[in-house]
């Protein structure tokens, strides 16, 4: 919602706040701006490598 609020203020001709109540907001913008993607597939090996990299990075921050 915050991203859409910012887009609405930066590009008022493209993104428009159409409705708002106390818990929700409704925006209007072109359909072509919406994209649906599958989640990125990460192998176990890649996940372990990333974990090791973060451990090393955290160790260097402490020093």
């Amino acid at each position: 919602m915050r991203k859409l609020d910012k887009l609405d203020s930066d590009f008022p001709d493209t993104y428009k706040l159409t409705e708002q109540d106390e818990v929700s907001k409704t925006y209007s913008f072109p359909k072509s701006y919406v994209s649906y993607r599958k989640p990125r597939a990460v192998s176990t090996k890649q996940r372990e490598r990333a974990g090791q990299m973060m451990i090393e990075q955290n160790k260097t921050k402490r020093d």
Side-chain angles (χ1 to χ4, degrees):
M1 192 179 301
R2 289 186 190 118
K3 284 184 180 182
L4 286 169
D5 286 339
K6 179 139 177 63
L7 288 169
D8 180 40
S9 64
D10 293 345
F11 305 100
D13 54 328
T14 306
Y15 295 90
K16 294 181 185 2
L17 178 63
T18 56
E19 287 183 43
Q20 180 177 1
D21 61 24
E22 55 212 31
V23 294
S24 66
K25 294 180 180 181
T26 304
Y27 291 89
S28 172
F29 56 91
K31 274 189 199 180
S32 61
Y33 286 27
V34 178
S35 69
Y36 298 98
R37 300 178 190 161
K38 291 195 278 186
R40 186 176 65 142
V42 179
S43 70
T44 305
K45 186 177 179 181
Q46 288 174 319
R47 190 179 310 271
E48 289 171 359
R49 184 169 176 251
Q52 289 299 323
M53 288 172 58
M54 288 305 297
I55 289 169
E56 290 299 319
Q57 214 172 36
N58 288 336
K59 282 182 185 177
T60 58
K61 281 185 181 180
R62 283 188 229 145
D63 296 335

